[in-house]
Amino acid sequence: MNDVIQVQNLCKSYGSLAAVDDISFSVYEGEIFGMVGPNGAGKTTTIECIEGLRRPDTGQVHLLGKDPLQNRREIAEQVGIQLQESSLPSRLRVREALALFASFYQRRANAGDLIDRLGLSDKRSAAFHKLSGGQKQRLFIALALVNRPRVVFFDELTTGLDPQARHSMWDLVRQIRNDGCTVFLTTHFMEEAERLCDRVAIMDHGRIIALDTPEALVRGLGTQKRLVFTLPEGQAAPDLAELAQVERMESSGSRLVVYGNGERFTSAVVYALEEAGTPFLDLRTEQPNLEDVFLTLTGREIRE
Protein backbone atom coordinates (compact mmCIF):
# COMPACT_ATOMS: atom_id res chain seq x y z
CA MET A 1 0.00 0.00 0.00
CA ASN A 2 1.20 3.50 -0.80
CA ASP A 3 1.39 5.98 2.08
CA VAL A 4 -0.12 9.37 1.32
CA ILE A 5 0.48 10.63 4.87
CA GLN A 6 3.43 9.78 7.10
CA VAL A 7 3.72 11.12 10.65
CA GLN A 8 6.80 10.35 12.74
CA ASN A 9 7.30 11.36 16.38
CA LEU A 10 5.05 14.41 16.07
CA CYS A 11 4.97 16.72 19.09
CA LYS A 12 3.16 20.02 19.64
CA SER A 13 2.79 21.84 22.96
CA TYR A 14 1.08 25.01 24.10
CA GLY A 15 2.94 26.14 27.19
CA SER A 16 2.91 23.20 29.62
CA LEU A 17 0.13 21.40 27.71
CA ALA A 18 1.33 18.63 25.37
CA ALA A 19 -1.46 18.74 22.80
CA VAL A 20 0.29 16.13 20.62
CA ASP A 21 2.76 13.90 22.43
CA ASP A 22 5.14 11.91 20.18
CA ILE A 23 2.73 10.17 17.80
CA SER A 24 3.54 8.19 14.64
CA PHE A 25 1.22 6.69 12.02
CA SER A 26 0.61 6.42 8.27
CA VAL A 27 -2.47 6.80 6.07
CA TYR A 28 -2.79 4.60 3.00
CA GLU A 29 -3.87 5.73 -0.44
CA GLY A 30 -7.59 5.15 -1.09
CA GLU A 31 -8.69 4.55 2.50
CA ILE A 32 -10.98 6.38 4.90
CA PHE A 33 -8.81 6.97 7.95
CA GLY A 34 -10.44 8.14 11.15
CA MET A 35 -9.03 9.80 14.24
CA VAL A 36 -11.38 9.69 17.21
CA GLY A 37 -11.35 10.84 20.77
CA PRO A 38 -12.74 13.45 23.15
CA ASN A 39 -12.41 17.17 22.62
CA GLY A 40 -8.96 18.23 23.73
CA ALA A 41 -7.39 14.90 22.77
CA GLY A 42 -5.17 16.52 20.12
CA LYS A 43 -7.08 15.55 16.99
CA THR A 44 -7.43 19.02 15.49
CA THR A 45 -3.84 19.99 16.29
CA THR A 46 -2.64 16.80 14.60
CA ILE A 47 -4.67 17.36 11.46
CA GLU A 48 -3.58 21.02 11.26
CA CYS A 49 0.09 19.98 11.48
CA ILE A 50 -0.47 17.51 8.64
CA GLU A 51 -2.22 20.15 6.55
CA GLY A 52 0.58 22.65 7.10
CA LEU A 53 -1.65 25.06 9.00
CA ARG A 54 0.33 24.63 12.22
CA ARG A 55 4.06 24.12 12.76
CA PRO A 56 5.06 21.09 14.89
CA ASP A 57 7.56 21.52 17.69
CA THR A 58 9.39 18.33 16.73
CA GLY A 59 8.85 15.33 14.48
CA GLN A 60 8.29 14.87 10.77
CA VAL A 61 5.19 15.08 8.61
CA HIS A 62 4.96 14.14 4.94
CA LEU A 63 1.82 14.69 2.91
CA LEU A 64 1.90 13.18 -0.59
CA GLY A 65 5.62 12.65 -0.02
CA LYS A 66 6.37 16.31 0.76
CA ASP A 67 6.80 18.56 3.78
CA PRO A 68 3.48 20.46 4.04
CA LEU A 69 5.20 23.62 5.35
CA GLN A 70 7.99 23.80 2.79
CA ASN A 71 5.78 22.79 -0.17
CA ARG A 72 2.55 24.52 0.77
CA ARG A 73 1.53 25.76 -2.67
CA GLU A 74 2.28 22.48 -4.43
CA ILE A 75 0.41 20.46 -1.81
CA ALA A 76 -2.54 22.86 -1.75
CA GLU A 77 -3.21 22.01 -5.40
CA GLN A 78 -3.73 18.34 -4.46
CA VAL A 79 -5.43 18.57 -1.06
CA GLY A 80 -8.94 19.54 0.07
CA ILE A 81 -9.75 20.76 3.57
CA GLN A 82 -13.00 21.16 5.48
CA LEU A 83 -12.22 22.90 8.75
CA GLN A 84 -13.98 22.26 12.05
CA GLU A 85 -15.44 25.77 12.02
CA SER A 86 -16.07 27.55 8.71
CA SER A 87 -18.18 30.37 7.40
CA LEU A 88 -18.72 32.49 4.30
CA PRO A 89 -20.10 35.98 3.68
CA SER A 90 -23.82 35.77 4.34
CA ARG A 91 -24.86 37.05 0.90
CA LEU A 92 -22.39 34.97 -1.12
CA ARG A 93 -24.34 32.59 -3.35
CA VAL A 94 -23.54 28.90 -3.72
CA ARG A 95 -22.43 29.16 -7.35
CA GLU A 96 -20.35 32.26 -6.55
CA ALA A 97 -18.57 30.46 -3.71
CA LEU A 98 -17.65 27.56 -6.01
CA ALA A 99 -16.42 29.95 -8.72
CA LEU A 100 -14.35 31.92 -6.20
CA PHE A 101 -12.65 28.87 -4.68
CA ALA A 102 -12.08 27.27 -8.09
CA SER A 103 -10.18 30.38 -9.18
CA PHE A 104 -7.50 29.59 -6.57
CA TYR A 105 -6.40 26.40 -8.33
CA GLN A 106 -4.94 25.32 -11.65
CA ARG A 107 -6.79 21.98 -11.59
CA ARG A 108 -10.54 22.40 -11.14
CA ALA A 109 -13.60 20.22 -10.89
CA ASN A 110 -16.74 21.12 -12.79
CA ALA A 111 -18.65 23.37 -10.38
CA GLY A 112 -22.02 22.40 -11.81
CA ASP A 113 -21.28 18.72 -11.37
CA LEU A 114 -20.23 19.29 -7.75
CA ILE A 115 -23.40 21.20 -7.01
CA ASP A 116 -25.48 18.38 -8.50
CA ARG A 117 -23.53 15.59 -6.76
CA LEU A 118 -23.88 17.26 -3.38
CA GLY A 119 -27.61 17.84 -3.65
CA LEU A 120 -27.43 21.61 -3.99
CA SER A 121 -28.97 21.96 -7.46
CA ASP A 122 -31.97 23.90 -6.24
CA LYS A 123 -29.75 26.09 -4.03
CA ARG A 124 -27.16 27.20 -6.58
CA SER A 125 -28.52 30.78 -6.48
CA ALA A 126 -29.23 30.78 -2.73
CA ALA A 127 -27.26 33.04 -0.40
CA PHE A 128 -25.14 31.35 2.26
CA HIS A 129 -27.29 32.57 5.16
CA LYS A 130 -30.36 30.97 3.56
CA LEU A 131 -28.88 27.46 3.69
CA SER A 132 -29.70 24.88 6.36
CA GLY A 133 -26.96 23.38 8.50
CA GLY A 134 -26.75 20.28 6.31
CA GLN A 135 -26.69 22.34 3.13
CA LYS A 136 -23.86 24.48 4.48
CA GLN A 137 -21.88 21.35 5.29
CA ARG A 138 -22.44 20.01 1.78
CA LEU A 139 -21.27 23.35 0.37
CA PHE A 140 -18.06 23.16 2.43
CA ILE A 141 -17.51 19.64 1.12
CA ALA A 142 -17.95 20.96 -2.42
CA LEU A 143 -15.39 23.69 -1.72
CA ALA A 144 -12.97 21.07 -0.38
CA LEU A 145 -13.39 19.07 -3.60
CA VAL A 146 -13.27 21.95 -6.08
CA ASN A 147 -9.61 21.27 -6.96
CA ARG A 148 -10.15 17.50 -7.50
CA PRO A 149 -7.87 16.62 -4.55
CA ARG A 150 -6.00 13.38 -4.02
CA VAL A 151 -6.47 13.72 -0.24
CA VAL A 152 -9.33 15.44 1.59
CA PHE A 153 -9.52 16.31 5.30
CA PHE A 154 -12.82 16.46 7.19
CA ASP A 155 -12.56 17.81 10.75
CA GLU A 156 -15.67 17.08 12.86
CA LEU A 157 -17.75 16.92 9.69
CA THR A 158 -21.13 16.08 11.23
CA THR A 159 -21.03 17.94 14.56
CA GLY A 160 -24.31 19.74 15.10
CA LEU A 161 -26.20 17.87 12.39
CA ASP A 162 -29.40 15.90 12.95
CA PRO A 163 -29.33 12.10 12.40
CA GLN A 164 -30.79 12.32 8.88
CA ALA A 165 -28.22 14.90 7.77
CA ARG A 166 -25.44 12.89 9.43
CA HIS A 167 -26.33 9.74 7.47
CA SER A 168 -26.44 11.80 4.28
CA MET A 169 -22.91 13.04 5.01
CA TRP A 170 -21.71 9.47 5.54
CA ASP A 171 -23.01 8.51 2.10
CA LEU A 172 -21.15 11.47 0.60
CA VAL A 173 -17.87 10.49 2.28
CA ARG A 174 -18.14 6.94 0.92
CA GLN A 175 -18.83 8.32 -2.55
CA ILE A 176 -15.79 10.59 -2.34
CA ARG A 177 -13.57 7.62 -1.42
CA ASN A 178 -15.09 5.52 -4.19
CA ASP A 179 -14.16 8.27 -6.64
CA GLY A 180 -10.50 7.68 -5.77
CA CYS A 181 -9.84 10.25 -3.06
CA THR A 182 -8.15 9.38 0.26
CA VAL A 183 -10.22 10.64 3.20
CA PHE A 184 -8.84 11.66 6.62
CA LEU A 185 -11.55 12.51 9.12
CA THR A 186 -11.59 13.41 12.78
CA THR A 187 -14.65 12.85 14.92
CA HIS A 188 -15.77 12.16 18.46
CA PHE A 189 -18.75 10.12 17.25
CA MET A 190 -17.79 6.47 17.63
CA GLU A 191 -20.65 5.25 15.44
CA GLU A 192 -19.46 7.52 12.64
CA ALA A 193 -15.94 6.13 12.78
CA GLU A 194 -17.14 2.53 13.02
CA ARG A 195 -19.43 2.84 10.00
CA LEU A 196 -17.13 4.84 7.74
CA CYS A 197 -13.49 4.13 8.45
CA ASP A 198 -11.17 1.45 7.11
CA ARG A 199 -8.83 2.13 10.04
CA VAL A 200 -9.24 4.16 13.21
CA ALA A 201 -6.71 5.80 15.52
CA ILE A 202 -8.00 6.42 19.05
CA MET A 203 -6.35 9.47 20.57
CA ASP A 204 -6.42 10.69 24.16
CA HIS A 205 -4.30 13.29 25.93
CA GLY A 206 -2.14 13.80 22.86
CA ARG A 207 -1.27 10.14 22.36
CA ILE A 208 -2.51 7.41 20.03
CA ILE A 209 -3.63 4.64 22.36
CA ALA A 210 -4.91 2.24 19.66
CA LEU A 211 -4.84 2.00 15.86
CA ASP A 212 -6.46 -0.73 13.76
CA THR A 213 -9.58 -1.55 11.78
CA PRO A 214 -12.82 -1.04 13.73
CA GLU A 215 -13.47 -4.78 13.58
CA ALA A 216 -10.05 -5.64 15.00
CA LEU A 217 -10.38 -3.07 17.78
CA VAL A 218 -13.74 -4.50 18.80
CA ARG A 219 -12.44 -8.09 18.63
CA GLY A 220 -9.66 -7.07 20.98
CA LEU A 221 -12.25 -6.57 23.72
CA GLY A 222 -12.81 -10.33 23.91
CA THR A 223 -16.15 -12.12 23.94
CA GLN A 224 -17.97 -10.11 26.60
CA LYS A 225 -21.72 -10.03 25.94
CA ARG A 226 -24.29 -7.45 26.99
CA LEU A 227 -27.92 -8.00 27.95
CA VAL A 228 -30.16 -4.93 28.21
CA PHE A 229 -33.66 -4.76 29.65
CA THR A 230 -36.03 -2.37 31.42
CA LEU A 231 -37.77 -2.90 34.76
CA PRO A 232 -41.35 -1.75 35.33
CA GLU A 233 -41.70 1.47 37.30
CA GLY A 234 -41.08 0.88 41.00
CA GLN A 235 -39.53 -2.57 40.48
CA ALA A 236 -36.32 -3.11 42.44
CA ALA A 237 -33.24 -4.18 40.52
CA PRO A 238 -32.44 -7.88 40.95
CA ASP A 239 -29.12 -9.14 42.30
CA LEU A 240 -27.55 -11.15 39.49
CA ALA A 241 -23.94 -10.82 40.64
CA GLU A 242 -23.85 -14.38 42.05
CA LEU A 243 -24.42 -15.91 38.61
CA ALA A 244 -21.22 -17.44 37.26
CA GLN A 245 -21.87 -16.00 33.79
CA VAL A 246 -22.32 -12.41 35.03
CA GLU A 247 -19.30 -10.13 35.33
CA ARG A 248 -20.95 -6.83 36.25
CA MET A 249 -24.13 -4.79 36.10
CA GLU A 250 -24.93 -1.17 35.35
CA SER A 251 -28.20 0.63 35.97
CA SER A 252 -29.59 3.95 34.78
CA GLY A 253 -33.03 4.52 36.22
CA SER A 254 -35.15 1.53 35.22
CA ARG A 255 -32.69 0.42 32.50
CA LEU A 256 -30.28 -2.41 33.40
CA VAL A 257 -27.24 -3.56 31.46
CA VAL A 258 -25.76 -6.93 32.42
CA TYR A 259 -22.28 -7.89 31.17
CA GLY A 260 -21.08 -11.47 31.03
CA ASN A 261 -19.73 -14.45 29.12
CA GLY A 262 -20.55 -18.03 28.30
CA GLU A 263 -22.94 -19.85 26.00
CA ARG A 264 -25.69 -19.85 28.63
CA PHE A 265 -25.23 -16.19 29.63
CA THR A 266 -28.58 -14.98 28.28
CA SER A 267 -30.60 -17.99 29.38
CA ALA A 268 -29.03 -17.93 32.86
CA VAL A 269 -29.98 -14.29 33.38
CA VAL A 270 -33.54 -14.80 32.07
CA TYR A 271 -34.00 -17.90 34.25
CA ALA A 272 -32.77 -16.02 37.34
CA LEU A 273 -35.19 -13.17 36.65
CA GLU A 274 -38.11 -15.55 36.25
CA GLU A 275 -37.17 -17.53 39.38
CA ALA A 276 -37.06 -14.29 41.36
CA GLY A 277 -40.43 -13.24 39.93
CA THR A 278 -38.88 -10.09 38.48
CA PRO A 279 -40.81 -8.76 35.46
CA PHE A 280 -38.77 -7.20 32.67
CA LEU A 281 -39.41 -5.38 29.40
CA ASP A 282 -37.59 -4.78 26.09
CA LEU A 283 -35.02 -7.53 26.57
CA ARG A 284 -32.29 -7.49 23.93
CA THR A 285 -28.66 -8.47 23.45
CA GLU A 286 -26.02 -6.03 22.24
CA GLN A 287 -22.62 -6.63 20.68
CA PRO A 288 -19.49 -4.70 21.68
CA ASN A 289 -18.77 -1.65 19.53
CA LEU A 290 -16.12 1.01 19.06
CA GLU A 291 -17.44 3.07 21.94
CA ASP A 292 -16.89 0.09 24.22
CA VAL A 293 -13.29 -0.01 23.01
CA PHE A 294 -12.87 3.67 23.83
CA LEU A 295 -14.36 3.30 27.30
CA THR A 296 -12.26 0.23 28.02
CA LEU A 297 -9.05 1.98 26.97
CA THR A 298 -9.69 5.36 28.60
CA GLY A 299 -12.01 4.51 31.48
CA ARG A 300 -14.33 7.43 30.87
CA GLU A 301 -17.02 8.57 28.50
CA ILE A 302 -16.31 10.52 25.34
CA ARG A 303 -16.44 14.26 25.95
CA GLU A 304 -18.38 16.35 23.43
Side-chain angles (χ1 to χ4, degrees):
M1 296 183 182
N2 296 326
D3 295 341
V4 295
I5 298 172
Q6 294 177 320
V7 177
Q8 295 180 331
N9 306 114
L10 179 66
C11 296
K12 180 66 180 179
S13 297
Y14 303 101
S16 61
L17 174 65
V20 180
D21 189 6
D22 192 22
I23 65 172
S24 300
F25 65 94
S26 297
V27 177
Y28 305 138
E29 184 176 13
E31 75 172 337
I32 300 176
F33 183 90
M35 182 167 281
V36 304
N39 287 339
K43 305 187 305 295
T44 296
T45 298
T46 298
I47 203 172
E48 288 180 350
C49 288
I50 296 171
E51 294 164 345
L53 300 178
R54 197 172 296 275
R55 184 178 296 273
D57 295 335
T58 58
Q60 293 184 332
V61 176
H62 289 93
L63 175 55
L64 296 171
K66 302 181 184 299
D67 185 310
L69 290 172
Q70 296 180 5
N71 303 273
R72 180 170 296 180
R73 181 61 190 174
E74 185 177 352
I75 286 176
E77 288 286 339
Q78 304 178 73
V79 170
I81 299 174
Q82 173 265 327
L83 298 174
Q84 185 172 345
E85 295 183 6
S86 302
S87 188
L88 291 170
S90 62
R91 295 189 178 183
L92 187 68
R93 301 181 186 278
V94 168
R95 66 170 185 272
E96 295 170 341
L98 267 294
L100 174 64
F101 276 67
S103 70
F104 301 153
Y105 302 101
Q106 296 178 3
R107 192 170 79 160
R108 304 167 188 173
N110 183 289
D113 288 345
L114 278 179
I115 288 174
D116 293 340
R117 280 180 57 198
L118 292 163
L120 295 170
S121 300
D122 59 342
K123 297 294 181 180
R124 64 179 67 241
S125 297
F128 179 74
H129 75 281
K130 294 289 187 179
L131 302 178
S132 68
Q135 290 164 350
K136 288 177 180 178
Q137 287 290 63
R138 291 202 295 273
L139 175 57
F140 289 128
I141 291 177
L143 297 178
L145 299 175
V146 74
N147 60 328
R148 293 189 291 155
R150 292 177 57 192
V151 182
V152 64
F153 294 88
F154 295 134
D155 193 5
E156 305 290 0
L157 178 66
T158 62
T159 297
L161 297 184
D162 60 53
Q164 183 178 11
R166 182 172 297 128
H167 281 263
S168 176
M169 288 297 157
W170 294 351
D171 290 339
L172 286 173
V173 171
R174 295 186 187 100
Q175 182 181 348
I176 290 165
R177 189 272 301 277
N178 292 340
D179 288 342
C181 186
T182 302
V183 178
F184 187 122
L185 65 87
T186 67
T187 182
H188 55 242
F189 294 120
M190 296 297 104
E191 182 187 7
E192 181 166 288
E194 189 165 10
R195 293 209 183 187
L196 281 181
C197 297
D198 299 298
R199 290 188 303 140
V200 176
I202 300 178
M203 197 168 184
D204 195 25
H205 288 298
R207 290 182 175 270
I208 292 178
I209 56 178
L211 198 167
D212 212 326
T213 65
E215 295 81 5
L217 290 171
V218 172
R219 281 199 306 270
L221 283 180
T223 59
Q224 190 179 65
K225 301 176 182 178
R226 189 164 58 213
L227 193 63
V228 183
F229 57 90
T230 302
L231 297 174
E233 186 175 354
Q235 175 68 47
D239 182 11
L240 302 171
E242 295 184 358
L243 293 177
Q245 295 88 350
V246 173
E247 295 185 358
R248 61 189 174 94
M249 293 175 53
E250 294 178 357
S251 63
S252 177
S254 61
R255 181 176 182 269
L256 261 65
V257 183
V258 183
Y259 298 84
N261 282 293
E263 293 182 2
R264 297 190 65 252
F265 166 65
T266 300
S267 59
V269 171
V270 171
Y271 180 77
L273 291 172
E274 292 177 341
E275 283 291 295
T278 303
F280 54 89
L281 306 169
D282 304 324
L283 180 73
R284 66 184 185 276
T285 59
E286 294 182 353
Q287 299 300 316
N289 56 32
L290 199 57
E291 185 165 338
D292 294 314
V293 175
F294 187 96
L295 296 176
T296 298
L297 292 175
T298 66
R300 62 183 180 278
E301 292 187 0
I302 303 161
R303 301 185 297 272
E304 297 208 6

